Amino acid sequence: MSQLIDGRAIAQQIHTETAARVAALKARGIQPGLVFIRVGEDPASQVYVGMKEKKSAELGFRSTTLVLPVSTTEAELLARIDALNADPSWHGILVQAPLPSHIRSATVYTRVAPEKDVDGFHPLNVGKLLLGDSDGFVPCTPGGVHELLIRSGVRTEGAEVVILGRGNIVGKPMASILMQKGRTANSTVTIVHSGSRDAAAHCRRADILIAAMGVPEFVKASMVKPGATVIDVGVNRIPAPGTPTGTRLVGDVAFEEVKAVAGFITPNPGGVGPMTIAMLLANTTRAAELASR
Ligand code: GUN
């Protein structure tokens, strides 16, 4: 039987630390400002941005959401970003992904000023992370997984880490974090993706298995080494006939069977999700601290 990694409790620790930093900024007349941009009405993005904005308000941030119609052109979105980049009262700018297909994400994320890129998506911040330069911003979800491991006492040094998924938001930055030199990293990292042969064989080698590929309940007990740490980043909506909405959310890990084998495991919900918000608000606080030096 495994030990649960309580993401809600660890996120709360981080919020408490952030609140103290926000109070110190306020004593100097500075209020961290975080602006969200949502393009179109993707239902999941509505929920995520709503949760992020609510928590920023609770922590005393100035925050707002620009909701733009799905017909917004790339040029219009870039012009909005330019205006926010030029406004010193906004310390962080978050453009919620996914964007409509007529807008090039890479162009948009390159336009956000690197010092306001609290998502860590700008190529400069991506490059700094890969180079081991701690000056940049680390993307919130993999940064949150890293904090979960550290604060749960999971040893990463020398560990075989297998990451399922090579996305720009989780898989690639997660690998960049854990391959670095240092006491809280130093892992041997493998990324398994849709072109990999025998994903299960890789998974069975893992001391730390991080599932972030977006396939409902892909990780089964037979793919997990006894005692391994299993982190579930997945959020998948699947049909659930007979429920009020006709759907339900599941992760990338078959939790009930895997928890019987794993050493540590994140519940889902209540594992990685709360950490993403905690890291976003910590990053934004840092942006405000750096801007006011
Ligand atoms: N969509 C899913 N996760 C994220 C995230 O961390 N940041 C942004 N901007 N969009 C997302």
Side-chain angles (χ1 to χ4, degrees), residues 45 48 52 94-98 109 119 121 139-142 169-170 276:
S45 293
Y48 293 143
K52 290 174 191 178
L94 182 145
V95 184
Q96 183 69 19
Y109 290 118
D119 251 332
F121 290 175
C140 303
T141 302
I169 297 182
V170 185
T276 298

Side-chain angles (χ1 to χ4, degrees), residues 47 220 230:
V47 173
K220 304 286 194 279
V230 179

Side-chain angles (χ1 to χ4, degrees), residues 109-209:
Y109 290 118
T110 304
R111 194 67 158 248
V112 175
E115 66 276 14
K116 298 191 179 193
D117 171 38
V118 290
D119 251 332
F121 290 175
H122 189 287
L124 189 76
N125 285 317
V126 175
K128 283 185 174 179
L129 178 58
L130 193 59
L131 293 170
D133 176 346
S134 58
D135 274 1
F137 289 105
V138 175
C140 303
T141 302
V145 170
H146 192 210
E147 284 295 328
L148 283 181
L149 296 172
I150 294 169
R151 293 177 190 238
S152 304
V154 175
R155 191 181 162 83
T156 57
E157 280 201 279
E160 293 285 340
V161 172
V162 174
I163 300 166
L164 292 162
R166 59 177 152 191
N168 291 339
I169 297 182
V170 185
K172 285 181 200 167
M174 191 78 249
S176 297
I177 292 168
L178 288 173
M179 72 169 74
Q180 298 299 326
K181 252 200 171 106
R183 204 177 44 76
T184 61
N186 256 343
S187 308
T188 303
V189 178
T190 303
I191 292 200
V192 171
H193 48 71
S194 53
S196 298
R197 278 186 285 122
D198 204 350
H202 287 289
C203 291
R204 277 191 289 271
R205 280 193 301 101
D207 301 309
I208 300 172
L209 180 59

